Amino acid sequence: MSSSLTEAVVARLCTVGAVPKEQDLYSGAGTDFYDRLVGPDRAEIREMLALARDTEGPILDLAAGTGRLTVPLVRSGKRVTAIDLSDDMLARLRRALPEHAMLECVVADMRDFSLPQQFGLVIIGATSITLLDRVARSLLYANVRRHLAPHGVFAFTLAGDASAQTFSVSTDREIEVPGPDGAETYLFSQQVEEDGAARVVNWVRAADLTEGGEVTVLTSRLRVLDRAELSRELVEAGFSVPAISPVRTLGGEDIVLLTTTCAGHSEERDADASR
Ligand SMILES: C[S@@+](CC[C@H](N)C(=O)[O-])C[C@H]1O[C@@H](n2cnc3c(N)ncnc32)[C@H](O)[C@@H]1O
């Protein structure tokens, strides 16, 4: 059976006689940690705003989380529907833009959702497509197609080849995470599984590693995917071959943006442009 805990974290807790308390990264105490870890990251915002500028009609932000991308899109004047599986994550988004007329938050699964309208742009940021396995991605693609307006654009991010290499090795190290009272040290543990097709990631606050205590271990499980595989899947699912462009990142992380439309619509758009 697959575990949410890495062997390294289990061993580390064992050495101090501590008991793990598993906590999904995207609910409960995980949401605060996620916001501290990723919230200040401005990566992808510029690219998504550029796509939004060329979009007519509303935008759908899938796996929107605490609104790292949603908030700037709404502030740019766009009407956005934000979907996320976690009400805890969306609660933070709602707090950031209370009662905003241009924002709708929907607790739903990106594998299975049904909204009354279609969207000019559907996005998935923060490489969150890697939260889904192959079957789940097929369901996602079918749902995106149903919700995409004619000529609408589907765009999502993925780790580029250089970053993806770091996902192929199990690793354990200390990281500094910003907090209200200054940075805190966390153990970051990544365990590669399924012959490199998946990775389990854990974070543990170093200060919590006390003798015999209960220690919260934040967990996530991700697929390791590359652009060629996803391009093939998109075409199989009825999308056109995606355009792939680099995302500008401050820390130099290698992230790419895949942009596609329903097959047939990109050719029509090219023909319209040449008339
Ligand atoms: C990495 S965060 C991304 C948040 C935000 N888009 C960003 O750029 O920071 C991933 C989000 O996906 C959500 N999530 C995970 N599985 C999901 C699913 N099947 N359907 C919808 N949301 C999901 C999690 O709750 C979490 O908020």
Side-chain angles (χ1 to χ4, degrees):
M1 209 182 81
S2 60
S3 163
S4 306
L5 300 179
T6 69
E7 286 166 19
V9 160
V10 171
R12 182 70 187 268
L13 264 57
C14 216
T15 57
V16 291
V19 181
K21 182 174 163 227
E22 291 179 39
Q23 169 66 62
D24 184 84
L25 179 61
Y26 304 123
S27 59
T31 59
D32 176 58
F33 177 78
Y34 180 84
D35 245 5
R36 288 164 52 198
L37 186 71
V38 184
D41 186 353
R42 308 296 295 162
E44 306 175 352
I45 293 174
R46 180 174 161 270
E47 287 77 10
M48 295 303 186
L49 284 174
L51 287 172
R53 270 195 294 277
D54 294 336
T55 298
E56 276 180 30
I59 295 171
L60 177 60
D61 185 3
L62 293 174
T66 54
R68 199 179 61 87
L69 302 175
T70 320
V71 170
L73 286 168
V74 170
R75 288 201 172 128
S76 78
K78 295 292 175 182
R79 184 175 292 281
V80 182
T81 298
I83 278 188
D84 201 280
L85 200 54
S86 162
D87 196 25
D88 291 343
M89 293 291 272
L90 286 181
R92 285 177 172 254
L93 168 52
R94 288 190 210 98
R95 279 204 295 277
L97 295 175
E99 315 258 321
H100 203 293
M102 301 296 268
L103 171 68
E104 188 188 13
C105 292
V106 180
V107 178
D109 192 324
M110 61 178 150
R111 295 167 294 187
D112 178 21
F113 60 93
S114 184
L115 298 170
Q117 72 272 55
Q118 290 191 311
F119 298 86
L121 175 64
V122 178
I123 62 168
I124 309 178
T127 75
S128 302
I129 197 164
T130 61
L131 290 161
L132 304 181
D133 65 17
R134 181 67 184 95
V135 173
R137 293 198 298 279
S138 291
L139 297 171
L140 163 80
Y141 299 145
N143 275 301
V144 170
R145 276 182 60 99
R146 283 196 303 115
H147 287 86
L148 214 48
H151 307 288
V153 170
F154 175 35
F156 60 89
T157 53
L158 189 67
D161 294 340
S163 293
Q165 277 184 9
T166 65
F167 302 153
S168 62
V169 237
S170 294
T171 175
D172 300 284
R173 62 172 187 274
E174 290 193 345
I175 59 170
E176 295 296 309
V177 179
D181 304 317
E184 282 185 308
T185 304
Y186 275 75
L187 308 181
F188 167 83
S189 177
Q190 169 178 278
Q191 180 167 298
V192 176
E193 300 194 340
E194 299 177 38
D195 285 333
R199 59 192 182 108
V200 172
V201 185
N202 291 173
W203 294 263
V204 181
R205 198 163 69 135
D208 290 345
L209 285 166
T210 50
E211 286 288 319
E214 189 180 61
V215 175
T216 299
V217 181
L218 299 160
T219 70
S220 190
R221 187 179 181 84
L222 301 145
R223 308 303 301 176
V224 177
L225 304 170
D226 70 41
R227 58 175 95 178
E229 184 180 0
L230 288 183
S231 299
R232 271 195 307 277
E233 286 179 8
L234 286 169
V235 172
E236 274 170 37
F239 291 95
S240 52
V241 176
I244 302 180
S245 54
V247 170
R248 200 167 64 181
T249 56
L250 270 183
E253 300 90 354
D254 181 17
I255 300 175
V256 290
L257 178 71
L258 281 77
T259 312
T260 187
T261 55
C262 289
H265 287 154
S266 57
E267 289 84 352
E268 283 170 33
R269 196 165 47 180
D270 292 347
D272 286 349
S274 64
R275 268 180 212 133

